[in-house]
Amino acid sequence: MEFIQKDTIVSLSNPGVVSKQLLNPDNSASARVTITEVHLEKGACQPWHAHESSEQIWYALRGSGRLLLANGVETEFNAGDVVRFEDGDIHGLRNDGEVEFIYLSVTAPPIHFGYAYQNNNSKRDDKQ
């Protein structure tokens, strides 16, 4: 069994985006998943990207936004919605709603997301 205390959870950030690394290769021996809680401020964006060797499932917990997909396609993504991206699927997200957008992400197999964030110095989030 693994137990991860909230005061040890690391947050990574880019302007307007905070990704809480709930379960990742740095704090877990899991070879199956990474779990992150992602917060986007109003107007913030995660640009298009893909994970070549991992699928990802997002569960929208709060707010409304737009999924940014391949070929410039956009679609609504709102609290309560779930989306699954296969290996290599291009995806991103823009918070065009009126409140902070929060989603839970499950990635399999696990990825260490530090490469994707400007603030990747393993700073802990004391506001949890």
Side-chain angles (χ1 to χ4, degrees), residues 23-64:
L23 184 87
N24 68 41
D26 288 337
N27 69 3
S28 172
S30 176
R32 297 189 180 176
V33 297
T34 295
I35 301 175
T36 56
E37 179 183 300
V38 184
H39 296 244
L40 282 83
E41 294 175 3
K42 180 179 172 180
C45 183
Q46 287 183 308
W48 287 275
H49 63 282
H51 309 289
E52 292 307 317
S53 300
S54 291
E55 74 174 304
Q56 215 169 43
I57 300 160
W58 291 359
Y59 173 50
L61 298 170
R62 179 178 187 220
S64 60

Side-chain angles (χ1 to χ4, degrees), residues 22 24 34 45 82 96-97 115 117 127:
L22 304 179
N24 68 41
T34 295
C45 183
V82 176
D96 63 358
Y115 73 91
Y117 289 87
K127 296 186 234 175

Side-chain angles (χ1 to χ4, degrees), residues 3 20 78:
F3 178 77
K20 295 181 180 184
N78 301 307

